[in-house]
Amino acid sequence: MKIEILQPLGINELGNRQNQEDSVYPDISTATSGDRLFLVCDGMGGHEHGEVASRLVCDVLPRYLKEHWTGTLLMDDILHDAIDEVFRQINTLDDGSTKQMGTTLTLLAFHQGGATMAHIGDSRIYHLRPGEGRLLYKSRDHSLVYDLFLAGEITQQEMATYDKKNVITRAIMPGQERQPKMDMAHTTDIQPGDYFILCSDGMLEKMTDQELLSLLRSNMTNEEKRDQLITATKDNADNHSAWLIQVKDVAFEENDEQQKNDESSVGCNALIYETAATKPDSLLRRFIKWLK
C-alpha cells in the first residue's frame, strides 16, 4: 500500500526545565511529507546524560535503517536488529556513573505493509480517526503506575495523581542485565484524515483522549492544532516533544490483506485494558479479581 502524508509538524518544548533532554527525528526544520520514519525520545539522567542518550537513538537507529531498509516493506527483524545496534552503542557509554543515562523511544514507520509502531518506556503513540470520533491505538505505558492499574491496585483515574507516576519499567539504558523488550504494533487500517501522534510523557499529561480527539476534529489547520497543543502544554513541568502527522491519501494494492494488522488486538494497545476497566464483568476485571 502507498501512504501519503501531509506536512508533518513537530513540537520540541523545554517546559520548566533548564535543559532539553528530548530528541526527535527527523529534524523539525527539515521534515517533509516524503519522510517515512519518525522518532520521539525522552531522555533521562539530567544534563549531559538524558540528552546524550536520546540523541544517540535518533542518530543510530535512522542510520541503521537507512543502510538495511529499502524503504519498501519494513520487516520486524530489521527493526529488532536496529534496536540491538542502539543498545550496543549505548552500552559503550556506560561509565559506571550513579546518575545513569537513559531514554524512552517511540517510533512510527510508513511502508508498503502499512504502518509499524514501536515503543520502549512511557512516551506514547496514538492512531486517531477524528472523522469518526475514534481512537484506534494508544501505546501502553511501560511504567509502575500502569502495572499497578493492570494489577487492580489503583484505578484509571488514580493513575494521574499517583506519587510515583514517573517511574518507568523499561528504558534504553547502558549496562542492563537483560535488554528490555520493544513493543510493536502494525496496521493496514489507515484512511485519509487519520492522525498519528508520537509524544513524550510531558506532552499530553493534562489532556484526555477525548479532548485530543475534539481538537483534531476541529476546523483549524494542522498548524493551528499544533499551536493549540503547544499553548495547552506551556506550563508543563517537563520537556515535551511530539510529532503530529496526518494521512493525506492511501492507495491499496493487491496483496495488502496479507500484511500484518494487529493494532486493535496487540497486547501493547492500552485501549484494550482501559475499555475493559469500564466494564465490571469483563474478563480482564474478573481475572484481576481472581489474582487478588
Side-chain angles (χ1 to χ4, degrees):
M1 62 192 301
K2 183 178 180 182
I3 304 166
E4 293 183 55
I5 62 173
L6 297 173
Q7 174 65 36
L9 300 174
I11 298 171
N12 190 223
E13 297 291 304
L14 189 61
N16 294 314
R17 291 291 185 94
Q18 295 300 312
N19 63 295
Q20 177 61 269
E21 294 183 81
D22 290 359
S23 295
V24 300
Y25 178 89
D27 186 276
I28 291 174
S29 64
T30 59
T32 73
S33 59
D35 285 309
R36 288 295 172 266
L37 177 67
F38 299 89
L39 307 175
V40 169
C41 296
D42 181 0
M44 303 167 293
H47 184 58
E48 294 183 351
H49 285 81
E51 59 200 67
V52 171
S54 64
R55 177 43 51 192
L56 180 146
V57 175
C58 286
D59 288 341
V60 172
L61 201 155
R63 183 167 65 246
Y64 186 95
L65 290 179
K66 186 175 181 180
E67 295 172 357
H68 297 86
W69 174 32
T70 64
T72 54
L73 186 66
L74 177 58
M75 305 301 293
D76 288 357
D77 287 349
I78 295 176
L79 193 49
H80 282 294
D81 290 344
I83 293 297
D84 289 344
E85 178 62 22
V86 166
F87 274 99
R88 279 192 289 271
Q89 293 285 345
I90 203 167
N91 280 332
T92 66
L93 303 180
D94 187 5
D95 59 1
S97 171
T98 57
K99 198 167 189 178
Q100 190 70 275
M101 70 171 60
T103 183
T104 67
L105 163 69
T106 57
L107 173 151
L108 170 68
F110 296 111
H111 52 94
Q112 284 188 356
T116 297
M117 300 167 281
H119 77 288
I120 297 174
D122 64 349
S123 296
R124 286 186 187 165
I125 309 169
Y126 293 80
H127 179 195
L128 308 101
R129 189 161 293 158
E132 298 178 4
R134 294 176 59 202
L135 180 55
L136 287 81
Y137 177 82
K138 179 171 77 171
S139 58
R140 167 188 161 184
D141 294 348
H142 299 143
S143 65
L144 172 63
V145 68
Y146 211 89
D147 287 351
L148 291 172
F149 162 67
L150 291 178
E153 297 296 328
I154 60 175
T155 67
Q156 191 173 344
Q157 291 71 31
E158 289 171 334
M159 285 195 291
T161 56
Y162 191 73
D163 60 351
K164 293 185 174 70
K165 67 177 183 178
N166 293 326
V167 177
I168 63 174
T169 55
R170 299 186 205 177
I172 297 175
M173 299 172 64
Q176 298 184 81
E177 185 174 339
R178 294 184 61 185
Q179 181 174 311
K181 178 176 175 281
M182 172 180 62
D183 278 341
M184 299 178 65
H186 315 77
T187 183
T188 56
D189 180 14
I190 304 170
Q191 297 182 11
D194 283 5
Y195 283 88
F196 289 87
I197 295 178
L198 289 74
C199 63
S200 58
D201 69 315
M203 189 70 228
L204 296 177
E205 63 184 23
K206 297 178 181 177
M207 183 173 287
T208 67
D209 295 345
Q210 287 306 311
E211 288 171 337
L212 179 59
L213 272 169
S214 295
L215 172 63
L216 298 180
R217 291 184 73 177
S218 71
N219 293 324
M220 292 185 290
T221 65
N222 281 341
E223 288 77 9
E224 291 170 331
K225 293 173 184 176
R226 187 263 312 271
D227 292 344
Q228 283 289 313
L229 286 171
I230 292 175
T231 299
T233 57
K234 63 182 179 66
D235 295 326
N236 285 11
D238 201 0
N239 301 152
H240 44 285
S241 302
W243 281 111
L244 178 67
I245 303 162
Q246 186 177 25
V247 176
K248 178 182 179 182
D249 195 20
V250 180
F252 293 94
E253 299 173 337
E254 184 177 351
N255 295 323
D256 285 343
E257 67 276 5
Q258 299 177 12
Q259 307 301 338
K260 194 177 292 186
N261 184 25
D262 60 11
E263 73 170 346
S264 64
S265 59
V266 71
C268 57
N269 189 343
L271 299 179
I272 296 172
Y273 310 101
E274 294 173 12
T275 300
T278 65
K279 300 176 180 178
D281 295 327
S282 70
L283 289 175
L284 175 64
R285 303 314 295 176
R286 278 185 274 171
F287 178 64
I288 289 172
K289 290 178 181 178
W290 177 80
L291 285 175
K292 295 174 74 173

